Each structure stands twice: as structure tokens, then as C-alpha cells.
Amino acid sequence: MKMLLPSALMLTAALFTFTEKSSAAFGIGKRSAGYIYETSFSSMGWRYLSLLEGKSTDDPNALESSKRNACYKRYGTILNDNTLDIRIAIGYFDWTTGSNVHYSGRSYGVSPSLDIGAYEALKDLLTSSCGGKARFCGFRKDPQNSSLFTREVTIHGKRILARVEIRFSSASEILSDNLGKYRDTQSQRSRYADDFFTRSLREADAVFYFGHARNGGGPDFYPPVFVPGTNKLNYSGYYKAKRPGFNKMLNALGSSRQAPVIGLMACASRDHFLRRTRAVAPNSGVISSMDVLNVDYVYTAMIGAVDALLRGQCQKSFYQSIRMTTGNQKYITMDGMFE
């Protein structure tokens, strides 16, 4: 996946200002500056949320009968327990260029992790005050679970408890630390994030994977595997040959229940994953991407999809919500959602 460099983003001064936050959950103490790429994820998210603020929320009763029935059918099993369970699993999101990465005047070494910054940005967006009609906002952090956020929403006239749980994979931003002094912690985090994703495929109403496709070897929650003696990812000998993440995902989807909505927010996920995913989970709607693309397309499409679910958007509006920008219109698609 290509990284859109910060110089190409219209960042405001406010987005470069960070308050000191506790990072005890990450095992790396406190910070007085943001995580790598956090400002970029924040800027992408705020801009996309501003587009969603002006978007109307569907009233299914105003739709023609076939579209109304398709909408009610999709949300029927999702809302039957009066809870909307959304889970976001962020993979081990290494920024691998083959050499040291320099960002904002600092060297992060080879393949630094972006998933902690993505988590922080998503958390801030979810817990921000709402503006306009957007619903990816107004959540409260659960006092017993710092990765779980809740709020009440009204969907199709019903009061619904919405739960959004977000998990990430990296123990720290620095690969050498994650393979060295944080090795045990990293192993535990990777296994937990991997298990969280596979459980979510069986348990959640909607599950999103945000991370690398690994040329078909993902979803991946583990530090990158390199060609021996290099800093290049071992696609041909490991990821494409073994497809470890995808095989595990297919096994999870082989259960008696599959998540009604699956978002595969990774490069070229349509080509890598869609056909076999739809074969084992034919009743699940799948959101995917076409081609190798900038990270902002899949990141903002995920925000749009969660916002659409929180409103109960039907086919046309849901599709618009994940494609609010020119780039998303070119690269983001969905299958099986309301057909």
C-alpha cells in the first residue's frame, strides 16, 4: 500500500498539536508528541467526516418496495438484538520501503509501524463531538475496556446500542524493538489481534480489517517477513506461497455464522480476497478495494462504511458513503450488500 506523504496533505496547525497521552497500554510509557503518521490519519479522517456531516440519512419507507425490502433484509439480523457490534482490526501496519524511514525530522529505522497512530486517530474521531448528520462521533470510551466505544443511535426507528471495538497489532512503532526488547509483548499482541479478527468474523455484525494485503498473504497481524539478508518483504517465498492470513480467515468464515458485513480495507483486496470470501460467506456484504492505492482511500472508506451502518443507510446512500471522494469512487467498491 502506498503512503500519501504529509506534504501532500492539507494539514492544519491544530493537527500538529498533541497533548501528552498515556501509552501504558502500548508498553512504552508516555508521549509528548504524536505517533508516526497520526497527524495524517487525523487529517484524512476529519476531512472525510466533514463530507459525511452533510449527507442525509435514509428513511427506508421513502424507497421503492424492492430497495426498501433489500435494506430491511440486510439490517434484519444486524439489529434483531438491539445492538450494533462493529469491530475494527488493524493489522501490523509497517511502512516498508527497503531502507530507513525518516518522518517529521526523525529516523524510525526500517519498517516502522503505523497502526498505533491509526488507532489514536480513529479513537479521537469516534469520541469527538458530532457535527451535522455524521455518526462516526459522539462515542464514549468504556471504563472497563479502553478499546471499546459505545453510544446510542436510532436506526430505522429503533433505539440501538452501538459498540465499536478497535484493536491494533504493534507493541511499538520501532520494528527492531518489536523483534528485540518487546519481542514477548509483540508476540502476545499479534496473537491477540489475530484472534480478535477471526473471532469477529464469526461474532460481530460488521468487521473491518485495515492493514496490508501482503499480496494475498494477509490479513496480517505479525511483523513483516523479509527475504533473508534483505529489508524486502518475502512475497514469493512466504506471503503469496503460503497465504497464512487469508487461509486463517477462510477457516473462520467456515463456521455456522459469518459477520453480515466484512470490510477488507487493504490494497487490491478485491482481486486478492473477494471471490473466495464470497464463496464461503455468500450472505455477507463485502467492501473491498481495487489496485494498489494510497492508504487514505481504504481508511476513509472504512470511516464512511461505519458511519453508514450507524445510520442504517440503504444501498445507494451506503455506496455513496464509502465513495465520497474522487479517489474512493475510483478504487472502492462493495458486493453482496443489498443484492
Side-chain angles (χ1 to χ4, degrees), residues 144-164:
Q144 305 300 320
N145 181 350
S146 62
S147 297
L148 176 63
F149 308 88
T150 61
R151 65 165 289 188
E152 285 193 345
V153 293
T154 299
I155 301 176
H156 302 169
K158 295 178 61 176
R159 294 296 294 171
I160 301 294
L161 174 65
R163 304 171 74 259
V164 177

Side-chain angles (χ1 to χ4, degrees), residues 92 108-111 172-183:
Y92 194 103
Y108 285 85
V110 174
S111 301
S172 78
E173 298 167 289
I174 308 302
L175 177 62
S176 59
D177 287 346
N178 294 344
L179 298 178
K181 62 182 179 180
Y182 297 145
R183 181 174 181 174

Side-chain angles (χ1 to χ4, degrees), residues 211-227:
H212 288 303
R214 302 292 197 210
N215 271 14
D220 188 29
F221 302 92
Y222 297 85
V225 175
F226 296 127
V227 174

Side-chain angles (χ1 to χ4, degrees), residues 1 97 107 125 133 135 165 208 229 239 242 293 308 314 317 321:
M1 187 178 296
T97 65
S107 174
L125 285 169
K133 299 170 184 174
R135 290 193 182 171
E165 186 170 0
F208 295 87
Y239 292 113
K242 299 182 181 297
L293 72 172
C314 302
S317 292
S321 293

Side-chain angles (χ1 to χ4, degrees), residues 100-330:
N100 286 355
V101 170
H102 295 267
Y103 182 85
S104 295
R106 176 185 170 187
S107 174
Y108 285 85
V110 174
S111 301
S113 294
L114 307 184
D115 44 293
I116 304 175
Y119 168 82
E120 288 291 331
L122 288 169
K123 179 187 71 174
D124 289 347
L125 285 169
L126 274 176
T127 56
S128 66
S129 299
C130 290
K133 299 170 184 174
R135 290 193 182 171
F136 195 95
C137 53
F139 280 77
R140 299 173 301 278
K141 185 170 68 174
D142 187 279
Q144 305 300 320
N145 181 350
S146 62
S147 297
L148 176 63
F149 308 88
T150 61
R151 65 165 289 188
E152 285 193 345
V153 293
T154 299
I155 301 176
H156 302 169
K158 295 178 61 176
R159 294 296 294 171
I160 301 294
L161 174 65
R163 304 171 74 259
V164 177
E165 186 170 0
I166 312 173
R167 298 287 178 173
F168 61 91
S169 303
S170 297
S172 78
E173 298 167 289
I174 308 302
L175 177 62
S176 59
D177 287 346
N178 294 344
L179 298 178
K181 62 182 179 180
Y182 297 145
R183 181 174 181 174
D184 291 343
T185 300
Q186 181 58 64
S187 178
Q188 293 170 6
R189 287 204 68 89
S190 290
R191 289 198 305 270
Y192 186 89
D194 195 351
D195 181 64
F196 171 73
F197 178 64
T198 54
R199 283 189 292 106
S200 299
L201 289 167
R202 298 188 295 264
E203 300 171 355
D205 295 315
V207 55
F208 295 87
Y209 168 72
F210 175 52
H212 288 303
R214 302 292 197 210
N215 271 14
D220 188 29
F221 302 92
Y222 297 85
V225 175
F226 296 127
V227 174
T230 76
N231 294 325
K232 296 181 179 180
L233 289 163
N234 191 355
Y235 289 122
S236 60
Y238 179 67
Y239 292 113
K240 292 179 71 174
K242 299 182 181 297
R243 307 199 76 180
F246 190 44
N247 287 331
K248 188 174 293 186
M249 175 180 157
L250 292 177
N251 287 336
L253 288 172
S255 67
S256 59
R257 185 190 186 278
Q258 298 98 11
V261 178
I262 301 170
L264 299 172
M265 320 314 291
C267 279
S269 57
R270 184 181 180 86
D271 288 342
H272 290 313
F273 307 129
L274 179 66
R275 181 181 61 83
R276 293 181 65 188
T277 299
R278 293 278 291 142
V280 298
N283 296 319
S284 297
V286 180
I287 301 164
S288 62
S289 73
M290 297 181 285
D291 211 345
V292 177
L293 72 172
N294 288 329
V295 66
D296 58 325
Y297 302 152
V298 286
Y299 177 72
T300 56
M302 178 174 67
I303 291 172
V306 173
D307 186 85
L309 287 166
L310 292 167
R311 302 194 203 197
Q313 298 287 49
C314 302
Q315 183 173 22
K316 182 178 179 180
S317 292
F318 200 113
Y319 200 49
Q320 290 172 344
S321 293
I322 63 176
R323 292 158 54 92
M324 298 289 285
T325 63
T326 301
N328 287 27
Q329 290 165 15
K330 183 177 180 180

